[in-house]
Amino acid sequence: MIQGMDHLPTTQAAVNALRAIAAEYGREIEVSHDIGADQTSRRTAAGIGVTTDPDGSLPHDAYAEFGGLPRVSVRLYPDDDALIEVEGVQCPDVARDDVPAFLRSLFADRAHVKSRRFPPGHFLIVPLPGDRTHREYVPMLSLTPWLSGRVR
């Protein structure tokens, strides 16, 4: 996370953390923002011209793409979670506070792909703080060269 920051309370704070990680690992980052209930991805039921939630807040989604390998994109939702896509593998429901650690594991080459023989399958394993991991199924046909290079 950002130095001295234990919690990412807003989407903008999370975007700032993503920019800091991109700089830390020498990666380009491109960010786009969707602001307002009529624009955010999870507020599709918002009426035409309605920009605030019923509580008066202004929801904010952000989408970031990182340059280099692995190909990584992050969609930050206003509900304190994120969807991270790694080489085409979607990792949904990652807590916003875990996003920086997740990305550092990827960029520092600590993530790996676990293969099993029966039933056949592959899983992307991303270590997180506190002896936790994020585990995501990888379809056999989705193994890119980057993912194949991390099979254990």
Side-chain angles (χ1 to χ4, degrees):
M1 286 189 224
I2 298 174
Q3 290 287 17
M5 188 170 221
D6 296 342
H7 174 62
L8 300 171
T10 65
T11 301
Q12 189 57 51
V15 168
N16 292 343
L18 296 182
R19 289 184 193 281
I21 290 168
E24 181 181 336
Y25 288 94
R27 292 180 170 252
E28 292 184 18
I29 185 171
E30 205 171 298
V31 180
S32 61
H33 299 270
D34 294 321
I35 300 174
D38 60 338
Q39 300 294 313
T40 57
S41 58
R42 292 190 175 165
R43 304 297 201 288
T44 55
I48 296 174
V50 176
T51 58
T52 60
D53 280 343
D55 66 357
S57 65
L58 199 59
H60 177 191
D61 271 9
Y63 178 78
E65 284 187 89
F66 290 84
L69 288 176
R71 292 183 325 246
V72 177
S73 66
V74 178
R75 171 148 318 266
L76 298 165
Y77 298 109
D79 302 325
D80 291 337
D81 68 328
L83 167 67
I84 300 176
E85 190 168 317
V86 181
E87 290 288 313
V89 177
Q90 290 191 350
C91 303
D93 302 322
V94 176
R96 184 187 298 164
D97 289 342
D98 286 338
V99 171
F102 188 105
L103 294 175
R104 282 192 174 97
S105 286
L106 286 175
F107 298 153
D109 216 21
R110 290 190 301 263
H112 66 277
V113 175
K114 185 175 183 176
S115 178
R116 72 172 182 215
R117 291 181 190 251
F118 191 79
H122 293 82
F123 293 88
L124 175 63
I125 310 293
V126 182
L128 297 171
D131 290 331
R132 297 177 301 131
T133 60
H134 184 90
R135 178 182 169 117
E136 206 60 53
Y137 177 73
V138 179
M140 192 78 130
L141 297 175
S142 298
L143 279 178
T144 65
W146 186 88
L147 289 168
S148 294
R150 273 130 195 95
V151 172
R152 289 187 185 169

